[in-house]
Amino acid sequence: MPAKTRNRVEIPVGSDPYNLTADLKNAFESALLTVPVENAAARDALAALFPNNTLPLNLSVARADLPGLIETWTGARWISNSGAIHLEIARTAGVNLANSLWGPGTPSELTAGVNGGASRNPSQFSFPVNNMVEVALEGIYALSWAVTDFSSGANGYITIRRDSNNQVLAQKALSNTFDVTAERPSIYLPAGARVRFNFLTLQAVECKHLLSITKIG
């Protein structure tokens, strides 16, 4: 029956049958060594190499496309405390409904709007409902949301709020405005925190969105 070393590697004991190749393979696999992968697609393909297409908890990978980034599998998602963590979303939105809270988009629209070239480790963010971003890791974050190119001068406001208690993190009034940016240079967010982005205009307008969230600590 295999034993475990202090660092949790499984090794055979004296009473086990001699099987060098299988024993070495089992020892290396049980060590959960950091696996080098070329990119996110190669990382996601790892599951097919494990029994029942299931990754072991705490398996980590080193991303060659994002040097310095180590990601760890939690059983539900990949998370990381290393490397840059930054999300940028850019999209052109259609006409909003006047006198109603609106935002940068639905979960599918936000996903489609992620700028893969500008973002770093975007898997640390998700979009649970309309106009909302959830962070996977606790930390200090910088938030910025630019709403630009209004089709006509808009009156109303834009606001960034913490979803759990509706706390205003940043807000700007609109007064015949064509471009506006709301920013929060730093705010602590616990793991799983959700940030909501909304704007309201007194008239229906078209606009563009550039939303960024950066983990700075």
Side-chain angles (χ1 to χ4, degrees):
M1 178 177 182
K4 286 191 176 182
T5 65
R6 284 176 294 184
N7 58 338
R8 310 297 291 173
V9 177
E10 293 185 359
I11 58 172
V13 296
S15 58
D16 289 330
Y18 180 80
N19 194 340
L20 180 61
T21 301
D23 288 339
L24 286 173
K25 180 176 182 291
N26 182 63
F28 279 113
E29 290 182 342
S30 66
L32 284 183
L33 302 174
T34 299
V35 180
V37 294
E38 293 82 5
N39 48 39
R43 176 201 68 191
D44 295 340
L46 286 176
L49 304 178
F50 289 88
N52 302 315
N53 210 42
T54 302
L55 292 170
L57 292 178
N58 297 320
L59 177 72
S60 61
V61 299
R63 293 275 297 272
D65 58 327
L66 297 172
L69 178 64
I70 304 295
E71 293 181 300
T72 302
W73 179 246
T74 68
R77 62 166 50 172
W78 293 95
I79 64 170
S80 175
N81 277 310
S82 67
I85 297 176
H86 173 72
L87 175 72
E88 281 194 23
I89 295 173
R91 63 178 305 267
T92 299
V95 178
N96 69 307
L97 183 65
N99 295 297
S100 178
L101 283 179
W102 219 247
T106 65
S108 60
E109 290 170 335
L110 293 172
T111 300
V114 173
N115 184 335
S119 299
R120 297 292 182 269
N121 201 15
S123 63
Q124 305 312 301
F125 305 91
S126 58
F127 315 113
V129 297
N130 293 353
N131 311 316
M132 192 176 293
V133 178
E134 179 178 317
V135 301
L137 300 173
E138 72 163 336
I140 308 299
Y141 288 82
L143 314 174
S144 176
W145 181 28
V147 188
T148 64
D149 297 336
F150 284 111
S151 53
S152 62
N155 297 281
Y157 64 90
I158 72 169
T159 181
I160 303 174
R161 298 178 182 241
R162 191 194 302 262
D163 185 59
S164 59
N165 58 7
N166 208 37
Q167 176 190 12
V168 176
L169 304 180
Q171 188 161 297
K172 284 288 187 69
L174 308 177
S175 180
N176 197 34
T177 303
F178 289 86
D179 302 279
V180 64
T181 300
E183 295 180 304
R184 180 67 179 248
S186 63
I187 182 70
Y188 169 77
L189 297 174
R194 295 179 174 185
V195 179
R196 192 170 71 251
F197 299 82
N198 287 121
F199 73 93
L200 182 149
T201 59
L202 304 184
Q203 59 278 95
V205 292
E206 297 178 5
C207 61
K208 296 179 180 178
H209 300 276
L210 178 59
L211 186 154
S212 70
I213 303 180
T214 306
K215 187 176 183 295
I216 57 176

